[in-house]
Amino acid sequence: MLPKTYLIGVAFGVIAVTAESATVCDTVDNDSDPFDVGTYSACGASSSDLSGVWMIVSDYNLETSYFGMTWNESRRQRQTVQILDNQDGTITVSDCGFLGYGYEYTLSTSANELKLVGDQVVDFSLQIVNNTQLSGSVVSRASVWGTSIDVISNYAEATKLRDLTAPVVTLGDLSSEYGPVDKKKMLNNWQIACFKNTAYDIEYTYLDGSTERRVYENTDLYAAESVENGIAGDALALFSISEPTLNEELRAEFNLAERNDVNGEADNVNIDYVADSNSHLSGVASIQDEDRALVSADIKFNFSL
């Protein structure tokens, strides 16, 4: 079973000094709630423009109806987003995206409001408070295939953690050997470009009136062979860890051009965290595919905000 994931533990603060205020601070407070915006500080980042590595923290509820079945879902989430100020009234955004793809896109800052990609259900609508702080809400992406989705009681805040000196900077590295036993493939020191950590509390109501509750956390690390090529190309890995109440799951997707997936849960997953804090996660993981006995993956990762 995964450690209770405020996933990410041992004190690993980033000590920074701002040129503007000469204030020494920890960019991330490892002793605080990882889903509280106050856990993150912009004191180590420049306020000259929007360029930087940002942390978006959100707390929201979803009410969903799908062909007679309903569920209420509470999400607390944090995820990184990298913003490059183009100095022409636009910014280039690189974030986690959804469905296994990272995203890179351009937004205008003229309206003082930024709509950032969330997942297949929601986006973030954020106003520019200043060059180190964004504030706003979570908005529904769409209602499709008979599904009605309402977003209620929500907020989203973003804090710049550090400056950005290139279009996309690496946050860590991930290596893996994966695939069928006779055709193993290697990822060597792929560069982690995005991180997303979500705590879910979901209650389902079925057609017969019965209910079911699921409480778990999920963490995704998106890694590219080279961050200079961005995170939206085919050479992308998704490493996803889940901590449901009763079992342990891990999913890995490697090289989306080939769509090689490895999935495992409970007895055929082993995860060992070397360090876990609000600012740092490293360790090793092994997974035996639950459906394909000869397919497996061994993963090593190291991530720091």
Side-chain angles (χ1 to χ4, degrees):
M1 187 70 67
L2 284 173
K4 192 66 179 174
T5 42
Y6 295 129
L7 258 179
I8 302 194
V10 187
F12 185 88
V14 179
I15 306 299
V17 179
T18 64
E20 298 170 355
S21 63
T23 301
V24 178
C25 77
D26 291 324
T27 303
V28 182
D29 182 351
N30 286 305
D31 296 324
S32 296
D33 181 352
F35 301 106
D36 183 346
V37 69
T39 296
Y40 308 95
S41 171
C43 69
S46 168
S47 60
S48 61
D49 62 25
L50 291 170
S51 293
V53 178
W54 294 71
M55 175 67 76
I56 300 176
V57 178
S58 57
D59 189 336
Y60 58 100
N61 294 328
L62 300 178
E63 291 184 347
T64 303
S65 176
Y66 180 72
F67 291 114
M69 187 178 81
T70 62
W71 61 92
N72 295 311
E73 180 176 344
S74 174
R75 294 187 188 181
R76 303 183 73 204
Q77 186 176 80
R78 59 181 181 144
Q79 72 174 64
T80 60
V81 60
Q82 300 194 32
I83 296 176
L84 181 66
D85 196 318
N86 298 315
Q87 306 300 320
D88 61 357
T90 68
I91 59 172
T92 299
V93 182
S94 298
D95 63 26
C96 297
F98 63 94
L99 299 180
Y101 290 89
Y103 273 80
E104 184 174 288
Y105 49 93
T106 299
L107 297 175
S108 171
T109 60
S110 60
N112 205 45
E113 182 174 1
L114 308 177
K115 191 170 183 179
L116 305 183
V117 172
D119 58 22
Q120 65 267 38
V121 177
V122 301
D123 288 325
F124 302 106
S125 177
L126 300 172
Q127 289 75 46
I128 301 172
V129 178
N130 53 53
N131 286 333
T132 62
Q133 184 181 2
L134 308 175
S135 179
S137 60
V138 181
V139 294
S140 179
R141 173 175 279 271
S143 297
V144 295
W145 298 107
T147 301
S148 173
I149 302 173
D150 293 317
V151 181
I152 57 175
S153 64
N154 75 91
Y155 81 91
E157 307 281 347
T159 299
K160 187 194 292 188
L161 300 181
R162 54 189 173 100
D163 295 334
L164 186 68
T165 57
V168 181
V169 301
T170 181
L171 302 176
D173 58 79
L174 180 152
S175 297
S176 179
E177 182 178 8
Y178 70 98
V181 65
D182 57 341
K183 295 181 180 179
K184 289 289 185 183
K185 297 183 178 181
M186 297 293 297
L187 304 180
N188 290 314
N189 296 318
W190 277 36
Q191 297 171 356
I192 295 171
C194 194
F195 157 83
K196 179 188 291 185
N197 177 207
T198 309
Y200 296 90
D201 187 340
I202 308 174
E203 183 171 298
Y204 297 90
T205 302
Y206 298 100
L207 289 173
D208 62 2
S210 62
T211 62
E212 177 187 5
R213 185 183 180 193
R214 299 179 188 176
V215 180
Y216 64 97
E217 289 197 26
N218 188 85
T219 292
D220 294 335
L221 299 176
Y222 293 79
E225 190 168 18
S226 170
V227 295
E228 286 77 18
N229 293 331
I231 60 173
D234 291 332
L236 182 74
L238 166 64
F239 170 54
S240 182
I241 312 164
S242 293
E243 187 204 9
T245 305
L246 300 177
N247 69 327
E248 183 176 293
E249 296 180 348
L250 184 152
R251 183 178 87 256
E253 296 179 5
F254 301 100
N255 193 346
L256 293 178
E258 302 174 16
R259 203 66 188 188
N260 288 313
D261 300 348
V262 184
N263 300 275
E265 62 181 66
D267 294 338
N268 54 8
V269 171
N270 179 58
I271 301 175
D272 178 25
Y273 288 104
V274 177
D276 54 332
S277 74
N278 290 340
S279 59
H280 183 66
L281 175 66
S282 64
V284 295
S286 61
I287 176 173
Q288 185 78 35
D289 195 288
E290 61 200 53
D291 298 318
R292 298 169 293 177
L294 297 180
V295 175
S296 64
D298 294 299
I299 304 167
K300 295 181 179 180
F301 53 93
N302 186 59
F303 166 85
S304 296
L305 291 175

